[in-house]
Amino acid sequence: QVQLVESGGGLVQPGGSLRLSCAASGSIFNIYTMGWYRQAPGKQREWVAGITSGGRTTYADSAKGRFTISNDNAKNTVYLQMNSLKPEDTAVYYCNTLPSRPNYWGQGTQVTVSS
């Protein structure tokens, strides 16, 4: 059973940056395309960014130019560098495969953008 553990969230002012990490219990990043997702209060979970095992990246329009997804297969870790954060980026951020697998959802990490 693969477990994904997200970390790196916190409270940041608008315009600030955060780097999220997603550590896997097994070597899945060299097999699956991975994605970052987020869920804001009262809203459905949405996809944010994805990265293939070969390193090709894709982004939701809301993330383009501000967020960067990357991976370190040796460390079984996927990252999401978030810059120029906005209040509307406030959400719980999750990683999962892309498309997602129901039993891979972790606890997520809270990101709050507020002054």
Side-chain angles (χ1 to χ4, degrees):
Q1 178 71 20
V2 172
Q3 289 188 324
L4 299 172
V5 179
E6 302 90 349
S7 62
L11 173 63
V12 63
Q13 292 186 342
S17 298
L18 282 174
R19 188 194 195 202
L20 307 183
S21 299
C22 169
S25 59
S27 299
I28 66 170
F29 299 149
N30 58 350
I31 299 174
Y32 298 119
T33 294
M34 296 300 298
W36 280 98
Y37 303 78
R38 68 185 182 186
Q39 186 167 20
K43 296 186 177 181
Q44 288 189 334
R45 189 175 292 165
E46 64 177 0
W47 167 74
V48 174
I51 186 166
T52 68
S53 58
R56 188 168 68 245
T57 59
T58 55
Y59 299 93
D61 287 343
S62 59
K64 285 179 182 176
R66 299 188 301 126
F67 294 2
T68 302
I69 187 172
S70 61
N71 61 8
D72 186 335
N73 289 340
K75 295 182 178 180
N76 294 330
T77 302
V78 174
Y79 304 98
L80 186 68
Q81 176 67 43
M82 304 188 297
N83 300 327
S84 302
L85 283 162
K86 307 174 182 179
E88 51 263 43
D89 294 317
T90 295
V92 179
Y93 284 72
Y94 305 86
C95 67
N96 201 320
T97 54
L98 181 64
S100 63
R101 286 167 165 76
N103 57 337
Y104 281 13
W105 292 113
Q107 295 299 310
T109 186
Q110 175 71 47
V111 172
T112 302
V113 185
S114 175
S115 55

